[in-house]
Amino acid sequence: MSTSLPKPEWLKVRPPAGERYTHIKGRLRQLGLSTVCEEARCPNVAECWGGGTATIMVMGDTCTRGCRFCAVKTNRNGQPLDPDEPTKVAGMLAELDCEYVVITSVDRDDLADQGAGHFAAVIREV
């Protein structure tokens, strides 16, 4: 018969919560923006958002590649690009006053330029 010891506190992941987390999640939904944190089911999302870090994923929430290690949903064709996304991302980041921001994207092999022009527009606007 074996007895297991309780798990150390640092190993336990708390469910996402807190005022800042709730605010960021709500604004993302209002603006129709995606984050790799949510799409890839990152267990540290509350820690990052609560600490002032945001990771925005542009060009939708559907990747055109099917990497087996990734939890982001895939399809042969992505969603139509949102022409207002650059403005939405820039506005949200200004509003949140984040300490650190990462802008990433899904792969968009279905687009002629793989989405490079759209990604560049987001960066210019930010």
Side-chain angles (χ1 to χ4, degrees), residues 73-106:
K73 65 183 164 186
T74 63
N75 197 335
R76 192 168 294 209
N77 293 304
Q79 302 150 334
L81 296 177
D82 177 359
D84 296 327
E85 188 174 47
T87 304
K88 290 176 182 179
V89 169
M92 181 175 169
L93 294 178
E95 173 189 328
L96 294 178
D97 191 32
C98 293
E99 294 176 35
Y100 188 77
V101 174
V102 175
I103 299 175
T104 187
S105 72
V106 292

PDB file of all heavy atoms in Angstrom, residues 73-106:
ATOM      1  N   LYS A  73      -6.965  25.101 -33.553  1.00  0.00           N
ATOM      2  CA  LYS A  73      -7.765  24.378 -34.544  1.00  0.00           C
ATOM      3  C   LYS A  73      -7.238  24.630 -35.952  1.00  0.00           C
ATOM      4  O   LYS A  73      -6.651  25.683 -36.232  1.00  0.00           O
ATOM      5  CB  LYS A  73      -9.240  24.681 -34.407  1.00  0.00           C
ATOM      6  CG  LYS A  73      -9.677  26.076 -34.686  1.00  0.00           C
ATOM      7  CD  LYS A  73     -11.178  26.202 -34.425  1.00  0.00           C
ATOM      8  CE  LYS A  73     -11.557  27.655 -34.310  1.00  0.00           C
ATOM      9  NZ  LYS A  73     -12.930  27.848 -33.933  1.00  0.00           N
ATOM     10  N   THR A  74      -7.457  23.665 -36.811  1.00  0.00           N
ATOM     11  CA  THR A  74      -6.927  23.735 -38.167  1.00  0.00           C
ATOM     12  C   THR A  74      -8.021  23.498 -39.197  1.00  0.00           C
ATOM     13  O   THR A  74      -9.046  22.884 -38.913  1.00  0.00           O
ATOM     14  CB  THR A  74      -5.810  22.694 -38.382  1.00  0.00           C
ATOM     15  OG1 THR A  74      -6.354  21.388 -38.226  1.00  0.00           O
ATOM     16  CG2 THR A  74      -4.671  22.896 -37.413  1.00  0.00           C
ATOM     17  N   ASN A  75      -7.757  24.017 -40.381  1.00  0.00           N
ATOM     18  CA  ASN A  75      -8.629  23.812 -41.530  1.00  0.00           C
ATOM     19  C   ASN A  75      -7.806  24.143 -42.764  1.00  0.00           C
ATOM     20  O   ASN A  75      -6.853  24.918 -42.686  1.00  0.00           O
ATOM     21  CB  ASN A  75      -9.864  24.711 -41.453  1.00  0.00           C
ATOM     22  CG  ASN A  75     -10.982  24.257 -42.364  1.00  0.00           C
ATOM     23  OD1 ASN A  75     -10.761  23.585 -43.365  1.00  0.00           O
ATOM     24  ND2 ASN A  75     -12.194  24.630 -42.009  1.00  0.00           N
ATOM     25  N   ARG A  76      -8.170  23.578 -43.869  1.00  0.00           N
ATOM     26  CA  ARG A  76      -7.437  23.845 -45.115  1.00  0.00           C
ATOM     27  C   ARG A  76      -7.514  25.321 -45.508  1.00  0.00           C
ATOM     28  O   ARG A  76      -6.576  25.874 -46.059  1.00  0.00           O
ATOM     29  CB  ARG A  76      -8.016  22.988 -46.225  1.00  0.00           C
ATOM     30  CG  ARG A  76      -7.189  22.957 -47.465  1.00  0.00           C
ATOM     31  CD  ARG A  76      -7.680  21.891 -48.369  1.00  0.00           C
ATOM     32  NE  ARG A  76      -7.422  20.614 -47.704  1.00  0.00           N
ATOM     33  CZ  ARG A  76      -7.205  19.491 -48.325  1.00  0.00           C
ATOM     34  NH1 ARG A  76      -7.242  19.460 -49.629  1.00  0.00           N
ATOM     35  NH2 ARG A  76      -6.975  18.383 -47.667  1.00  0.00           N
ATOM     36  N   ASN A  77      -8.641  25.938 -45.205  1.00  0.00           N
ATOM     37  CA  ASN A  77      -8.825  27.368 -45.491  1.00  0.00           C
ATOM     38  C   ASN A  77      -9.169  28.097 -44.198  1.00  0.00           C
ATOM     39  O   ASN A  77     -10.022  27.648 -43.444  1.00  0.00           O
ATOM     40  CB  ASN A  77      -9.950  27.587 -46.507  1.00  0.00           C
ATOM     41  CG  ASN A  77      -9.592  27.033 -47.861  1.00  0.00           C
ATOM     42  OD1 ASN A  77      -8.571  27.388 -48.429  1.00  0.00           O
ATOM     43  ND2 ASN A  77     -10.405  26.129 -48.373  1.00  0.00           N
ATOM     44  N   GLY A  78      -8.516  29.238 -43.987  1.00  0.00           N
ATOM     45  CA  GLY A  78      -8.797  30.050 -42.815  1.00  0.00           C
ATOM     46  C   GLY A  78     -10.021  30.921 -43.039  1.00  0.00           C
ATOM     47  O   GLY A  78     -10.612  30.931 -44.117  1.00  0.00           O
ATOM     48  N   GLN A  79     -10.372  31.664 -42.023  1.00  0.00           N
ATOM     49  CA  GLN A  79     -11.499  32.584 -42.109  1.00  0.00           C
ATOM     50  C   GLN A  79     -11.077  33.819 -42.908  1.00  0.00           C
ATOM     51  O   GLN A  79      -9.884  34.128 -42.991  1.00  0.00           O
ATOM     52  CB  GLN A  79     -11.916  33.006 -40.705  1.00  0.00           C
ATOM     53  CG  GLN A  79     -12.279  31.846 -39.831  1.00  0.00           C
ATOM     54  CD  GLN A  79     -11.976  32.128 -38.360  1.00  0.00           C
ATOM     55  OE1 GLN A  79     -11.117  32.922 -38.025  1.00  0.00           O
ATOM     56  NE2 GLN A  79     -12.675  31.434 -37.484  1.00  0.00           N
ATOM     57  N   PRO A  80     -12.034  34.555 -43.462  1.00  0.00           N
ATOM     58  CA  PRO A  80     -11.675  35.815 -44.123  1.00  0.00           C
ATOM     59  C   PRO A  80     -10.998  36.749 -43.122  1.00  0.00           C
ATOM     60  O   PRO A  80     -11.366  36.782 -41.943  1.00  0.00           O
ATOM     61  CB  PRO A  80     -13.027  36.392 -44.571  1.00  0.00           C
ATOM     62  CG  PRO A  80     -13.964  35.232 -44.592  1.00  0.00           C
ATOM     63  CD  PRO A  80     -13.473  34.271 -43.541  1.00  0.00           C
ATOM     64  N   LEU A  81      -9.995  37.473 -43.577  1.00  0.00           N
ATOM     65  CA  LEU A  81      -9.292  38.414 -42.704  1.00  0.00           C
ATOM     66  C   LEU A  81     -10.210  39.570 -42.338  1.00  0.00           C
ATOM     67  O   LEU A  81     -10.985  40.041 -43.164  1.00  0.00           O
ATOM     68  CB  LEU A  81      -8.038  38.946 -43.390  1.00  0.00           C
ATOM     69  CG  LEU A  81      -6.960  37.912 -43.690  1.00  0.00           C
ATOM     70  CD1 LEU A  81      -5.799  38.556 -44.446  1.00  0.00           C
ATOM     71  CD2 LEU A  81      -6.455  37.258 -42.418  1.00  0.00           C
ATOM     72  N   ASP A  82     -10.116  40.029 -41.113  1.00  0.00           N
ATOM     73  CA  ASP A  82     -10.891  41.162 -40.635  1.00  0.00           C
ATOM     74  C   ASP A  82     -10.106  42.432 -40.961  1.00  0.00           C
ATOM     75  O   ASP A  82      -9.050  42.670 -40.374  1.00  0.00           O
ATOM     76  CB  ASP A  82     -11.112  41.042 -39.133  1.00  0.00           C
ATOM     77  CG  ASP A  82     -11.858  42.211 -38.518  1.00  0.00           C
ATOM     78  OD1 ASP A  82     -12.204  43.172 -39.252  1.00  0.00           O
ATOM     79  OD2 ASP A  82     -12.089  42.175 -37.295  1.00  0.00           O
ATOM     80  N   PRO A  83     -10.589  43.262 -41.888  1.00  0.00           N
ATOM     81  CA  PRO A  83      -9.848  44.471 -42.254  1.00  0.00           C
ATOM     82  C   PRO A  83      -9.704  45.462 -41.084  1.00  0.00           C
ATOM     83  O   PRO A  83      -8.818  46.317 -41.098  1.00  0.00           O
ATOM     84  CB  PRO A  83     -10.661  45.082 -43.396  1.00  0.00           C
ATOM     85  CG  PRO A  83     -12.012  44.476 -43.289  1.00  0.00           C
ATOM     86  CD  PRO A  83     -11.851  43.138 -42.615  1.00  0.00           C
ATOM     87  N   ASP A  84     -10.549  45.337 -40.071  1.00  0.00           N
ATOM     88  CA  ASP A  84     -10.482  46.215 -38.899  1.00  0.00           C
ATOM     89  C   ASP A  84      -9.567  45.666 -37.796  1.00  0.00           C
ATOM     90  O   ASP A  84      -9.370  46.326 -36.775  1.00  0.00           O
ATOM     91  CB  ASP A  84     -11.878  46.445 -38.315  1.00  0.00           C
ATOM     92  CG  ASP A  84     -12.786  47.175 -39.280  1.00  0.00           C
ATOM     93  OD1 ASP A  84     -12.276  48.018 -40.059  1.00  0.00           O
ATOM     94  OD2 ASP A  84     -14.000  46.904 -39.264  1.00  0.00           O
ATOM     95  N   GLU A  85      -9.031  44.465 -37.997  1.00  0.00           N
ATOM     96  CA  GLU A  85      -8.214  43.854 -36.948  1.00  0.00           C
ATOM     97  C   GLU A  85      -7.009  44.708 -36.547  1.00  0.00           C
ATOM     98  O   GLU A  85      -6.741  44.838 -35.341  1.00  0.00           O
ATOM     99  CB  GLU A  85      -7.761  42.448 -37.360  1.00  0.00           C
ATOM    100  CG  GLU A  85      -7.075  41.696 -36.241  1.00  0.00           C
ATOM    101  CD  GLU A  85      -6.771  40.258 -36.604  1.00  0.00           C
ATOM    102  OE1 GLU A  85      -6.229  40.025 -37.717  1.00  0.00           O
ATOM    103  OE2 GLU A  85      -7.065  39.371 -35.794  1.00  0.00           O
ATOM    104  N   PRO A  86      -6.269  45.316 -37.473  1.00  0.00           N
ATOM    105  CA  PRO A  86      -5.144  46.157 -37.042  1.00  0.00           C
ATOM    106  C   PRO A  86      -5.562  47.258 -36.065  1.00  0.00           C
ATOM    107  O   PRO A  86      -4.908  47.480 -35.045  1.00  0.00           O
ATOM    108  CB  PRO A  86      -4.606  46.740 -38.354  1.00  0.00           C
ATOM    109  CG  PRO A  86      -4.969  45.715 -39.381  1.00  0.00           C
ATOM    110  CD  PRO A  86      -6.322  45.198 -38.935  1.00  0.00           C
ATOM    111  N   THR A  87      -6.677  47.915 -36.337  1.00  0.00           N
ATOM    112  CA  THR A  87      -7.173  48.982 -35.468  1.00  0.00           C
ATOM    113  C   THR A  87      -7.648  48.419 -34.135  1.00  0.00           C
ATOM    114  O   THR A  87      -7.394  49.006 -33.078  1.00  0.00           O
ATOM    115  CB  THR A  87      -8.318  49.746 -36.166  1.00  0.00           C
ATOM    116  OG1 THR A  87      -7.840  50.226 -37.416  1.00  0.00           O
ATOM    117  CG2 THR A  87      -8.820  50.903 -35.331  1.00  0.00           C
ATOM    118  N   LYS A  88      -8.325  47.283 -34.172  1.00  0.00           N
ATOM    119  CA  LYS A  88      -8.812  46.654 -32.939  1.00  0.00           C
ATOM    120  C   LYS A  88      -7.646  46.271 -32.027  1.00  0.00           C
ATOM    121  O   LYS A  88      -7.695  46.505 -30.820  1.00  0.00           O
ATOM    122  CB  LYS A  88      -9.634  45.412 -33.264  1.00  0.00           C
ATOM    123  CG  LYS A  88     -10.967  45.691 -33.912  1.00  0.00           C
ATOM    124  CD  LYS A  88     -11.645  44.382 -34.271  1.00  0.00           C
ATOM    125  CE  LYS A  88     -12.970  44.583 -34.969  1.00  0.00           C
ATOM    126  NZ  LYS A  88     -13.583  43.292 -35.333  1.00  0.00           N
ATOM    127  N   VAL A  89      -6.609  45.645 -32.605  1.00  0.00           N
ATOM    128  CA  VAL A  89      -5.455  45.214 -31.805  1.00  0.00           C
ATOM    129  C   VAL A  89      -4.766  46.425 -31.187  1.00  0.00           C
ATOM    130  O   VAL A  89      -4.485  46.450 -29.979  1.00  0.00           O
ATOM    131  CB  VAL A  89      -4.468  44.384 -32.653  1.00  0.00           C
ATOM    132  CG1 VAL A  89      -3.159  44.158 -31.903  1.00  0.00           C
ATOM    133  CG2 VAL A  89      -5.082  43.055 -33.057  1.00  0.00           C
ATOM    134  N   ALA A  90      -4.503  47.448 -31.994  1.00  0.00           N
ATOM    135  CA  ALA A  90      -3.818  48.639 -31.493  1.00  0.00           C
ATOM    136  C   ALA A  90      -4.631  49.318 -30.396  1.00  0.00           C
ATOM    137  O   ALA A  90      -4.091  49.721 -29.361  1.00  0.00           O
ATOM    138  CB  ALA A  90      -3.542  49.616 -32.628  1.00  0.00           C
ATOM    139  N   GLY A  91      -5.927  49.434 -30.592  1.00  0.00           N
ATOM    140  CA  GLY A  91      -6.785  50.070 -29.593  1.00  0.00           C
ATOM    141  C   GLY A  91      -6.830  49.290 -28.294  1.00  0.00           C
ATOM    142  O   GLY A  91      -6.748  49.868 -27.207  1.00  0.00           O
ATOM    143  N   MET A  92      -6.940  47.976 -28.400  1.00  0.00           N
ATOM    144  CA  MET A  92      -6.988  47.165 -27.192  1.00  0.00           C
ATOM    145  C   MET A  92      -5.669  47.248 -26.422  1.00  0.00           C
ATOM    146  O   MET A  92      -5.674  47.382 -25.206  1.00  0.00           O
ATOM    147  CB  MET A  92      -7.281  45.711 -27.525  1.00  0.00           C
ATOM    148  CG  MET A  92      -7.359  44.866 -26.283  1.00  0.00           C
ATOM    149  SD  MET A  92      -7.831  43.193 -26.649  1.00  0.00           S
ATOM    150  CE  MET A  92      -7.494  42.447 -25.066  1.00  0.00           C
ATOM    151  N   LEU A  93      -4.550  47.182 -27.119  1.00  0.00           N
ATOM    152  CA  LEU A  93      -3.252  47.239 -26.442  1.00  0.00           C
ATOM    153  C   LEU A  93      -3.037  48.597 -25.768  1.00  0.00           C
ATOM    154  O   LEU A  93      -2.495  48.663 -24.671  1.00  0.00           O
ATOM    155  CB  LEU A  93      -2.124  46.911 -27.410  1.00  0.00           C
ATOM    156  CG  LEU A  93      -2.122  45.467 -27.932  1.00  0.00           C
ATOM    157  CD1 LEU A  93      -0.996  45.264 -28.924  1.00  0.00           C
ATOM    158  CD2 LEU A  93      -2.050  44.466 -26.799  1.00  0.00           C
ATOM    159  N   ALA A  94      -3.497  49.667 -26.397  1.00  0.00           N
ATOM    160  CA  ALA A  94      -3.379  50.997 -25.786  1.00  0.00           C
ATOM    161  C   ALA A  94      -4.255  51.082 -24.539  1.00  0.00           C
ATOM    162  O   ALA A  94      -3.855  51.636 -23.521  1.00  0.00           O
ATOM    163  CB  ALA A  94      -3.777  52.076 -26.786  1.00  0.00           C
ATOM    164  N   GLU A  95      -5.426  50.512 -24.614  1.00  0.00           N
ATOM    165  CA  GLU A  95      -6.364  50.529 -23.485  1.00  0.00           C
ATOM    166  C   GLU A  95      -5.842  49.710 -22.305  1.00  0.00           C
ATOM    167  O   GLU A  95      -5.988  50.109 -21.160  1.00  0.00           O
ATOM    168  CB  GLU A  95      -7.700  49.949 -23.946  1.00  0.00           C
ATOM    169  CG  GLU A  95      -8.715  49.739 -22.857  1.00  0.00           C
ATOM    170  CD  GLU A  95      -9.925  48.960 -23.357  1.00  0.00           C
ATOM    171  OE1 GLU A  95     -10.294  49.093 -24.532  1.00  0.00           O
ATOM    172  OE2 GLU A  95     -10.486  48.203 -22.551  1.00  0.00           O
ATOM    173  N   LEU A  96      -5.233  48.577 -22.585  1.00  0.00           N
ATOM    174  CA  LEU A  96      -4.797  47.679 -21.514  1.00  0.00           C
ATOM    175  C   LEU A  96      -3.518  48.131 -20.830  1.00  0.00           C
ATOM    176  O   LEU A  96      -3.224  47.701 -19.734  1.00  0.00           O
ATOM    177  CB  LEU A  96      -4.594  46.265 -22.061  1.00  0.00           C
ATOM    178  CG  LEU A  96      -5.839  45.558 -22.555  1.00  0.00           C
ATOM    179  CD1 LEU A  96      -5.478  44.190 -23.099  1.00  0.00           C
ATOM    180  CD2 LEU A  96      -6.864  45.429 -21.440  1.00  0.00           C
ATOM    181  N   ASP A  97      -2.739  48.954 -21.492  1.00  0.00           N
ATOM    182  CA  ASP A  97      -1.483  49.425 -20.926  1.00  0.00           C
ATOM    183  C   ASP A  97      -0.641  48.243 -20.428  1.00  0.00           C
ATOM    184  O   ASP A  97      -0.219  48.194 -19.275  1.00  0.00           O
ATOM    185  CB  ASP A  97      -1.746  50.420 -19.782  1.00  0.00           C
ATOM    186  CG  ASP A  97      -0.469  51.136 -19.359  1.00  0.00           C
ATOM    187  OD1 ASP A  97       0.398  51.352 -20.220  1.00  0.00           O
ATOM    188  OD2 ASP A  97      -0.352  51.451 -18.163  1.00  0.00           O
ATOM    189  N   CYS A  98      -0.415  47.286 -21.325  1.00  0.00           N
ATOM    190  CA  CYS A  98       0.354  46.095 -20.995  1.00  0.00           C
ATOM    191  C   CYS A  98       1.829  46.423 -20.832  1.00  0.00           C
ATOM    192  O   CYS A  98       2.345  47.350 -21.442  1.00  0.00           O
ATOM    193  CB  CYS A  98       0.207  45.041 -22.088  1.00  0.00           C
ATOM    194  SG  CYS A  98      -1.443  44.365 -22.212  1.00  0.00           S
ATOM    195  N   GLU A  99       2.498  45.638 -20.015  1.00  0.00           N
ATOM    196  CA  GLU A  99       3.935  45.799 -19.821  1.00  0.00           C
ATOM    197  C   GLU A  99       4.724  45.086 -20.919  1.00  0.00           C
ATOM    198  O   GLU A  99       5.841  45.461 -21.237  1.00  0.00           O
ATOM    199  CB  GLU A  99       4.325  45.245 -18.455  1.00  0.00           C
ATOM    200  CG  GLU A  99       3.717  46.052 -17.319  1.00  0.00           C
ATOM    201  CD  GLU A  99       4.025  45.445 -15.966  1.00  0.00           C
ATOM    202  OE1 GLU A  99       5.118  44.895 -15.798  1.00  0.00           O
ATOM    203  OE2 GLU A  99       3.163  45.533 -15.095  1.00  0.00           O
ATOM    204  N   TYR A 100       4.153  44.030 -21.477  1.00  0.00           N
ATOM    205  CA  TYR A 100       4.830  43.216 -22.484  1.00  0.00           C
ATOM    206  C   TYR A 100       3.780  42.672 -23.432  1.00  0.00           C
ATOM    207  O   TYR A 100       2.740  42.194 -22.986  1.00  0.00           O
ATOM    208  CB  TYR A 100       5.575  42.071 -21.793  1.00  0.00           C
ATOM    209  CG  TYR A 100       6.456  41.266 -22.704  1.00  0.00           C
ATOM    210  CD1 TYR A 100       7.690  41.747 -23.122  1.00  0.00           C
ATOM    211  CD2 TYR A 100       6.065  40.009 -23.138  1.00  0.00           C
ATOM    212  CE1 TYR A 100       8.505  41.002 -23.949  1.00  0.00           C
ATOM    213  CE2 TYR A 100       6.878  39.255 -23.963  1.00  0.00           C
ATOM    214  CZ  TYR A 100       8.096  39.756 -24.360  1.00  0.00           C
ATOM    215  OH  TYR A 100       8.897  39.023 -25.176  1.00  0.00           O
ATOM    216  N   VAL A 101       4.029  42.741 -24.729  1.00  0.00           N
ATOM    217  CA  VAL A 101       3.072  42.280 -25.724  1.00  0.00           C
ATOM    218  C   VAL A 101       3.776  41.404 -26.753  1.00  0.00           C
ATOM    219  O   VAL A 101       4.876  41.731 -27.198  1.00  0.00           O
ATOM    220  CB  VAL A 101       2.414  43.479 -26.453  1.00  0.00           C
ATOM    221  CG1 VAL A 101       1.532  43.016 -27.585  1.00  0.00           C
ATOM    222  CG2 VAL A 101       1.643  44.334 -25.477  1.00  0.00           C
ATOM    223  N   VAL A 102       3.129  40.306 -27.111  1.00  0.00           N
ATOM    224  CA  VAL A 102       3.589  39.451 -28.193  1.00  0.00           C
ATOM    225  C   VAL A 102       2.477  39.437 -29.232  1.00  0.00           C
ATOM    226  O   VAL A 102       1.314  39.238 -28.891  1.00  0.00           O
ATOM    227  CB  VAL A 102       3.861  38.009 -27.713  1.00  0.00           C
ATOM    228  CG1 VAL A 102       4.232  37.105 -28.872  1.00  0.00           C
ATOM    229  CG2 VAL A 102       4.947  37.994 -26.647  1.00  0.00           C
ATOM    230  N   ILE A 103       2.831  39.659 -30.478  1.00  0.00           N
ATOM    231  CA  ILE A 103       1.859  39.535 -31.566  1.00  0.00           C
ATOM    232  C   ILE A 103       2.329  38.377 -32.427  1.00  0.00           C
ATOM    233  O   ILE A 103       3.449  38.376 -32.936  1.00  0.00           O
ATOM    234  CB  ILE A 103       1.752  40.829 -32.392  1.00  0.00           C
ATOM    235  CG1 ILE A 103       1.284  41.966 -31.493  1.00  0.00           C
ATOM    236  CG2 ILE A 103       0.787  40.627 -33.566  1.00  0.00           C
ATOM    237  CD1 ILE A 103       1.256  43.318 -32.165  1.00  0.00           C
ATOM    238  N   THR A 104       1.469  37.389 -32.536  1.00  0.00           N
ATOM    239  CA  THR A 104       1.770  36.199 -33.314  1.00  0.00           C
ATOM    240  C   THR A 104       0.596  35.948 -34.257  1.00  0.00           C
ATOM    241  O   THR A 104      -0.336  36.735 -34.305  1.00  0.00           O
ATOM    242  CB  THR A 104       2.031  34.988 -32.381  1.00  0.00           C
ATOM    243  OG1 THR A 104       2.493  33.884 -33.162  1.00  0.00           O
ATOM    244  CG2 THR A 104       0.794  34.604 -31.601  1.00  0.00           C
ATOM    245  N   SER A 105       0.651  34.886 -35.020  1.00  0.00           N
ATOM    246  CA  SER A 105      -0.451  34.602 -35.933  1.00  0.00           C
ATOM    247  C   SER A 105      -0.553  33.111 -36.197  1.00  0.00           C
ATOM    248  O   SER A 105       0.384  32.355 -35.945  1.00  0.00           O
ATOM    249  CB  SER A 105      -0.244  35.330 -37.271  1.00  0.00           C
ATOM    250  OG  SER A 105       0.810  34.719 -38.002  1.00  0.00           O
ATOM    251  N   VAL A 106      -1.697  32.740 -36.708  1.00  0.00           N
ATOM    252  CA  VAL A 106      -1.850  31.407 -37.258  1.00  0.00           C
ATOM    253  C   VAL A 106      -1.132  31.397 -38.606  1.00  0.00           C
ATOM    254  O   VAL A 106      -0.840  32.460 -39.160  1.00  0.00           O
ATOM    255  CB  VAL A 106      -3.346  31.046 -37.439  1.00  0.00           C
ATOM    256  CG1 VAL A 106      -4.048  30.903 -36.117  1.00  0.00           C
ATOM    257  CG2 VAL A 106      -4.060  32.077 -38.308  1.00  0.00           C
TER     258      VAL A 106
END
